[in-house]
């Protein structure tokens, strides 16, 4: 043994002895030599594995989504076709046809290291991961090359395996292809919204120009769209998403300055370039485009499919729409409204009148029909889904439901029930509200002390503004959200007292869902419109499709509360209620009218046990999209919820339910929320009573000059002797005179009028139906000064019931009245 060998052994022995002398926890830790060796071994193995994978994984063929396919939409029967859409709208262009400013804008928006990185950006990936972990939102660190690889070679699935392949293929693509070729491939395969794949289709969809004609601001907006194509379309986006889209446009331009593509002075002079209105896709004319829009909105909004995957095509989509009911909705709008408009004679008032409607099954949440417009080919905006029209007094049932469940009391210390009395004085200041508020009642009528039931029937603003505050505006908002009004729609701020009277702007479909929940005894469904989803590839046969969610009802309200609200809303559809025109349905029904401030919109939402439907009416400037008053429509000075919206609702529901048996409401209102027998007019059934007699013919509609919420005020006529107006032409027969019912609608013409309350006008017989404006001169229309008794019909001889003693009025608030919100 040599001396050097002996010394090495001695040193090793000494190290072992020294390590044995260390505490146990120190001995368990590896030495730096062991650690370094492990790290180097791991690194070598990783490099080797990467090299093997890089060599083994080839560039795959383009994915199936790169091949144009169609989506097929079917009615609920699974056979009848609604439309075929989804063929990829793409026209590839070479890089030299794409303006340099467009390329630079896309690089600035999507990958500012594109010209320096090697296909992947490890720094960006680490930064994105850190931002996600630290709560700054889900972020991606993919380069343009990676996104191109994902679009062209792979899928949109979010798996570790797919991400790993993406990294390897991106490295290969960067090595084998130039930057311009990669950028052109990315721009030709990316989805920009409006069904447009590729920059050429996007240029035509958003600006109506060839890609070579895009300006710098337009290029920056198209680049901004890549982050959220559908959400950032400023022509259809919510206000919040429009702000995000414009912010993304600014981010893109600022990045161009940072990268040296654009001077700061030139940047400061640029204005946001508004795109053109969306243009209809082929094959979506008539009602088809609106139905497709609702189905697509459900699939994407529920997270079942992302927008790009859906638009790529290849899906067979069976919807919940009933063709017979859909046709009935379109027919009702035409017969009850369109036929009465005369744009040639009244161009300032009878043009641009629009209807939004939706119909939902309460028991299931199925959307059976929608009305988004007259023809998608002429009006490619789906009015059934828009969330920018206030719903007015159709929100009052939410106030009532919140009051009944609040465990609060009114100002007199009494628990809130449907029979609680409030001061119905017009412009009475609301007490204890977060903001000063003193809403007037329609036509400034003072109702005196009145029950919540009576206030709903008359749509008394001063009462329900106070009810909402007494219930707690936060609780009112929570109740609205549970019933189905989206939490993020404008006008749902409990910091504003005016929220109580319907400043919220849910869509017609949202509102139909709310009333469906009331009809379903408090069980709320999110309205759904797709019953089956299949993926079909003609080359390989059926492939896997995402599983559709279930549709269990959520308990928005307890049954006693929901049924109490329904019991009250049944009386809105009575001879003295604002929804009296719906008596023509001839079935038990419940509902509420709504008219908004400045007459910018009018609504009727109602339901039978089988079907809930909402109808909204508004006018919109087609160029500026600004809302315009309904005043003057069809020649009438004011259009309220009880006029055209209720007539459309009634005509549609009559057709939709024509072949179904009449059902009565099975109500179990909670204690204290039924009208006392002593106060009930003779012949009025209790909430849970059923009847076997055939109902009498429905009462005529209220006089259009009545002026309350739910009626139409005719233009004033020149002074002349009053001439009784001729009744309107008979409408289609209803089941009112032939079909038996298990429960008559409350307070038809066979019952005594509701007891008067102090300050409330005595009930009158309903006036004749509103004649079609086009059938008589404006000067011959009845005015508010003319009698409201129907021609040839004597006033109701039944005297009003004894007026109950008034409750002590609430002391007036000290706050000053403000401009009223929707009535």
């Amino acid at each position: 043994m040599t001396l050097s060998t002996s010394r090495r052994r001695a040193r090793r022995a000494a190290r072992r002895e020294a390590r044995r002398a260390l505490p146990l926890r120190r001995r368990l830790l590896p030495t730096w030599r062991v650690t370094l060796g492990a790290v180097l071994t791991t690194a070598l193995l990783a490099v080797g594995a990467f090299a093997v994978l890089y060599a083994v994984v080839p560039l795959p063929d383009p994915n199936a989504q790169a091949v144009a396919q169609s989506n097929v939409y079917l009615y609920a029967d699974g056979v009848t076709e609604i439309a075929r859409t989804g063929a990829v709208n793409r026209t590839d262009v070479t890089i030299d046809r794409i303006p340099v400013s467009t390329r630079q804008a896309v690089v600035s928006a999507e990958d500012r290291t594109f010209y320096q990185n090697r296909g992947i950006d490890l720094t960006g990936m680490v930064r994105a991961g850190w931002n996600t972990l630290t709560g700054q939102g889900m972020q991606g660190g993919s380069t343009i090359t990676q996104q191109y690889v994902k679009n062209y070679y792979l899928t949109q699935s979010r798996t570790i395996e797919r991400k790993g392949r993406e990294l390897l293929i991106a490295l290969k693509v960067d090595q084998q292809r130039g930057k311009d070729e990669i950028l052109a491939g990315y721009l030709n395969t990316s989805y920009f919204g409006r069904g447009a794949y590729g920059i050429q289709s996007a240029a035509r969809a958003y600006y109506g120009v060839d890609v070579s004609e895009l300006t710098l601001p337009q290029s920056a907006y198209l680049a901004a769209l890549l982050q959220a194509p559908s959400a950032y379309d400023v022509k259809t986006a919510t206000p919040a998403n429009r702000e995000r889209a414009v912010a993304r446009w600014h981010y893109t331009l600022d990045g161009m300055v940072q990268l040296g593509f654009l001077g700061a002075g030139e940047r400061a002079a640029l204005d946001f370039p508004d795109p053109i209105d969306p243009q209809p896709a082929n094959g979506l004319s008539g009602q088809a485009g609106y139905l497709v829009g609702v189905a697509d909105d459900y699939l994407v909004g529920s997270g079942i499919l992302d927008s790009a995957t859906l638009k790529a095509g290849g899906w067979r989509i069976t919807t919940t729409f009933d063709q017979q009911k859909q046709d009935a909705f379109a027919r009702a709008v035409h017969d009850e409204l369109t036929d009465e408009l005369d744009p040639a004679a009244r161009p300032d008032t009878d043009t641009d009148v629009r209807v939004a409607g939706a119909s939902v099954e309460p028991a299931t949440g199925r959307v059976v029909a929608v009305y988004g417009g007259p023809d998608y080919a002429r009006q490619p905006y789906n009015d059934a889904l828009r969330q920018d029209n206030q719903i007015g007094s159709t929100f009052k049932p939410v106030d009532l439901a919140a009051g009944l469940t609040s465990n609060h009391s009114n100002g007199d210390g009494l628990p809130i029930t449907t029979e609680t009395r409030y001061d119905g004085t017009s412009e009475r200041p609301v007490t204890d509200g977060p903001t000063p508020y003193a809403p007037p009642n329609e036509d400034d009528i003072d109702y005196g002390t009145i029950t919540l039931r009576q206030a709903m029937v008359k749509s008394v603003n001063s009462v329900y503004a106070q009810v909402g505050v007494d219930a707690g505006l936060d609780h009112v908002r929570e109740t609205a959200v549970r019933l189905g009004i989206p939490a993020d729609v404008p006008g749902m701020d409990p910091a504003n007292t005016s929220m109580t009277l319907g400043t919220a702007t849910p869509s017609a479909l949202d509102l139909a869902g709310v009333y469906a929940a009331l009809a379903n005894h408090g069980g709320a469904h999110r309205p759904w419109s797709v019953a089956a989803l299949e993926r079909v590839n003609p080359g390989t046969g059926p492939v896997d499709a995402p599983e559709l969610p279930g549709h269990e009802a959520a308990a928005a309200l307890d049954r006693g509360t929901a049924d109490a609200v329904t019991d009250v809303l049944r009386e809105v559809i009575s001879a003295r209620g604002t929804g009296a025109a719906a008596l023509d349905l001839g079935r038990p029904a419940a509902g509420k009218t709504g008219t908004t401030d400045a007459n910018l919109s009018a609504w009727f939402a109602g339901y039978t046990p089988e079907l809930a439907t909402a109808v909204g009416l508004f006018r919109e400037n087609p160029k500026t999209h600004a809302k315009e008053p309904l005043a003057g429509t069809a020649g009438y000075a004011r259009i309220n919820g009880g006029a055209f919206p209720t007539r459309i609702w009634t005509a549609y529901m009559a057709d939709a339910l024509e072949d179904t048996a009449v059902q009565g409401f099975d109500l179990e209102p909670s204690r204290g929320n039924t009208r006392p027998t002593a106060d009930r007019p003779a012949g009025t059934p209790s909430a849970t009573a059923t009847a076997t007699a055939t109902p009498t013919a429905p009462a005529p509609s209220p006089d259009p000059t009545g002026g309350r919420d739910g009626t139409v005020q005719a233009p004033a006529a020149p002074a002349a002797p009053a001439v009784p107006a001729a009744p309107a032409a008979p409408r289609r027969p209803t089941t009112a005179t032939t079909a038996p019912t298990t429960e008559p609608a409350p307070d038809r013409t066979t019952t005594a009028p509701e007891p008067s309350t102090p300050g409330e006008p005595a009930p009158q017989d309903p006036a004749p139906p509103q004649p079609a404006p086009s059938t008589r001169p404006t000067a011959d229309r009845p005015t508010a000064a003319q009698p409201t008794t129907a021609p040839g019909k004597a006033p109701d001889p039944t005297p009003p019931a004894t007026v109950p003693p008034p409750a002590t009025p609430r002391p007036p608030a000290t706050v000053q009245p403000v401009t009223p919100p929707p009535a």
Side-chain angles (χ1 to χ4, degrees):
M1 179 183 298
T2 64
L3 180 62
S4 60
T5 302
S6 177
R7 288 176 178 174
R8 284 197 299 273
R9 289 180 176 177
R11 283 197 295 270
R12 285 198 294 269
R15 286 197 296 271
R16 286 195 294 270
E17 288 297 324
R19 187 167 182 80
R20 291 192 188 101
L22 293 174
L24 177 61
R25 61 184 180 83
R26 291 288 305 277
R27 293 201 304 272
L28 292 176
L29 295 174
T31 65
W32 67 269
R33 291 179 178 83
V34 173
T35 301
L36 179 60
V39 169
L40 291 175
T41 302
T42 302
L44 289 172
L45 289 174
V47 170
F50 183 84
V52 171
L53 288 173
Y54 185 86
V56 169
V57 175
L59 287 181
D61 293 330
N63 61 53
Q65 290 188 358
V67 180
Q69 300 182 70
S70 294
N71 288 332
V72 180
Y73 294 81
L74 305 174
Y75 280 106
D77 61 11
V79 176
T80 308
E81 187 173 305
I82 299 173
R84 285 179 177 263
T85 69
V88 176
N89 176 23
R90 176 190 293 121
T91 303
D92 288 352
V93 292
T94 56
I95 194 69
D96 59 308
R97 286 189 58 192
I98 303 173
V100 173
S101 60
T102 305
R103 302 178 225 168
Q104 293 172 341
V106 170
V107 168
S108 172
E110 294 295 296
D111 180 10
R112 293 180 181 178
T113 67
F114 173 70
Y115 289 108
Q116 291 79 41
N117 65 52
R118 297 301 181 185
I120 63 174
D121 182 5
L122 295 177
T123 303
M125 294 170 63
V126 172
R127 180 175 62 252
W130 173 255
N131 289 339
T132 300
L133 291 174
T134 55
Q136 300 181 46
M138 194 72 174
Q139 299 186 17
S142 296
T143 63
I144 282 177
T145 307
Q146 287 175 259
Q147 294 180 65
Y148 165 58
V149 166
K150 179 179 65 175
N151 292 341
Y152 194 67
Y153 295 110
L154 303 175
T155 68
Q156 304 294 323
S157 63
R158 298 181 180 181
T159 63
I160 295 177
E161 185 270 342
R162 198 273 296 163
K163 192 67 177 179
R165 294 185 66 205
E166 175 186 304
L167 294 175
L168 289 170
I169 296 172
L171 288 170
K172 277 198 167 186
V173 167
D174 187 77
Q175 290 295 315
Q176 298 179 13
R177 298 182 181 176
K179 290 292 185 181
D180 281 350
E181 185 178 358
I182 294 172
L183 185 58
Y186 173 66
L187 288 173
N188 281 322
T189 57
S190 294
Y191 181 61
F192 290 81
R194 298 193 181 184
Y197 282 82
I199 191 67
Q200 168 72 340
S201 297
R204 293 200 176 278
Y206 286 90
Y207 294 106
V209 299
D210 186 86
V211 63
S212 61
E213 300 171 10
L214 286 173
T215 65
L216 172 57
Q218 291 171 348
S219 297
Y221 175 63
L222 294 182
L225 281 170
L226 288 166
Q227 186 178 66
S230 297
Y232 285 0
D233 185 346
V234 295
K235 287 295 185 178
T236 58
T238 63
N241 279 342
R242 180 183 173 88
E243 290 182 9
R244 296 186 183 103
V246 174
R248 183 71 176 175
W249 179 76
H250 284 295
Y251 167 84
T252 301
L253 292 175
D254 291 340
M256 294 181 71
V257 174
Q258 177 186 333
L259 294 172
F261 297 148
L262 181 65
E266 185 182 358
R267 157 72 181 91
L270 298 178
D271 293 323
F272 183 79
D274 270 318
I276 62 176
D277 289 339
Q279 303 302 303
N282 293 332
L284 296 179
S285 60
Q287 295 296 304
Y290 304 122
L291 302 184
V292 167
V294 172
D296 285 356
D297 183 73
Y298 173 72
L299 290 171
V300 175
S302 301
I304 299 168
L305 294 175
D306 63 66
S307 183
T309 302
L310 175 61
K311 294 295 184 183
W315 299 98
R316 180 184 174 89
I317 301 165
T318 303
T319 70
T320 59
F321 304 121
D322 182 301
Q323 186 178 19
Q324 180 264 330
K325 291 180 173 63
Q326 184 61 40
D327 292 344
F329 219 143
R331 185 166 53 248
V333 173
H334 182 272
D335 293 350
E336 301 299 329
L337 174 66
T338 309
D339 272 357
E340 298 205 15
L341 299 178
D342 190 347
R346 295 181 289 270
D348 293 335
T349 59
D350 283 17
T351 55
D352 311 320
V353 180
R354 302 171 75 143
V355 174
S359 192
V360 175
E361 286 183 351
T364 64
R366 289 165 48 96
V367 184
V368 297
V370 297
Y371 187 85
D375 186 344
Y376 190 79
R378 293 188 289 112
Q379 181 197 297
Y381 292 94
N382 196 334
D383 290 333
L385 296 178
R386 63 189 306 156
Q387 295 178 332
D388 60 352
N389 288 301
Q390 294 182 344
I391 60 171
S393 292
T394 58
F395 191 81
K396 286 174 183 171
V398 177
D399 294 323
L400 178 59
L404 300 181
T405 58
S406 64
N407 295 320
H408 293 177
S409 64
N410 67 354
D412 302 321
L414 300 174
I416 298 175
T417 71
T418 62
E419 311 313 310
T420 300
R421 291 182 171 274
Y422 273 78
D423 183 355
T425 302
S426 183
E427 296 189 71
R428 175 195 172 281
V430 175
T431 61
D432 302 324
T435 55
Y437 196 44
N441 297 329
E442 193 81 19
D443 288 338
D444 209 29
I445 296 174
D446 291 330
Y447 290 92
T449 303
I450 189 171
T451 68
L452 293 186
R453 180 184 297 272
Q454 295 164 335
M456 186 72 76
V457 172
K458 302 296 185 184
S459 199
V460 182
N461 292 333
S462 57
V463 168
Y464 275 93
Q466 187 65 59
V467 170
V469 170
D470 289 348
L473 294 181
D474 285 328
H475 181 54
V476 172
R477 185 182 190 279
E478 291 168 2
T479 302
V481 172
R482 288 199 308 271
L483 283 168
I485 293 181
D488 59 349
V489 299
M492 286 277 283
D493 185 1
N496 293 321
T497 311
S498 59
M499 183 188 78
T500 55
L501 297 187
T503 57
T505 60
S507 68
L509 184 56
D510 297 328
L511 189 60
V514 170
Y515 278 67
L518 295 174
N520 196 36
H521 311 292
H525 296 274
R526 180 195 173 193
W528 53 282
S529 54
V530 175
L533 179 66
E534 303 168 85
R535 182 72 184 275
V536 179
N537 185 319
T540 60
V543 297
D544 291 338
E547 184 177 352
L548 296 176
H551 304 290
E552 296 297 324
L557 297 173
D558 64 87
R559 175 167 185 164
T561 299
D563 286 0
V565 175
T566 295
D567 187 40
V568 171
L569 295 184
R570 290 166 69 244
E571 299 194 37
V572 173
I573 303 178
S574 67
R576 67 179 180 278
T578 60
L583 284 170
D584 283 348
L585 179 62
R587 289 172 176 259
K592 185 69 187 76
T593 55
T595 310
T596 61
D597 192 31
N599 208 185
L600 293 181
S601 62
W603 291 85
F604 185 77
Y607 51 94
T608 65
E610 310 95 327
L611 201 57
T613 302
V615 178
L617 187 70
F618 62 99
R619 290 183 67 228
E620 179 177 287
N621 186 299
K623 295 181 179 179
T624 66
H625 302 292
K627 297 296 185 298
E628 298 176 338
L630 288 167
T633 300
Y636 287 88
R638 184 173 61 199
I639 303 297
N640 289 8
F644 290 118
T646 306
R647 287 169 50 181
I648 293 169
W649 182 92
T650 305
Y652 160 71
M653 293 287 281
D655 271 0
L657 300 174
E658 184 175 10
D659 296 327
T660 63
V662 176
Q663 295 185 29
F665 287 105
D666 178 19
L667 302 183
E668 298 176 5
S670 51
R671 175 174 294 184
N673 290 310
T674 55
R675 191 172 179 183
T677 304
D679 292 341
R680 189 181 302 279
T684 303
S686 65
T688 56
T690 59
T692 57
T694 301
T696 60
S701 302
D703 183 15
T705 66
R708 293 194 307 271
D709 181 9
T711 61
V712 180
Q713 182 173 346
V723 178
R731 302 197 184 282
R732 65 177 61 86
T734 68
T735 58
T737 58
T738 58
T741 179
T742 58
E743 178 184 8
D747 304 309
R748 293 186 185 273
T749 54
T750 57
T751 64
E754 180 178 4
S756 301
T757 56
E760 179 182 352
Q764 296 177 328
D765 248 16
Q770 175 180 312
S774 59
T775 63
R776 61 183 184 189
T778 301
D780 292 339
R781 291 191 179 123
T783 66
Q786 291 176 301
T788 57
T789 303
K793 178 177 173 63
D796 192 332
T798 308
T802 303
V803 177
T808 304
R810 181 187 299 276
T814 58
V815 294
Q816 295 299 314
V818 296
T819 302

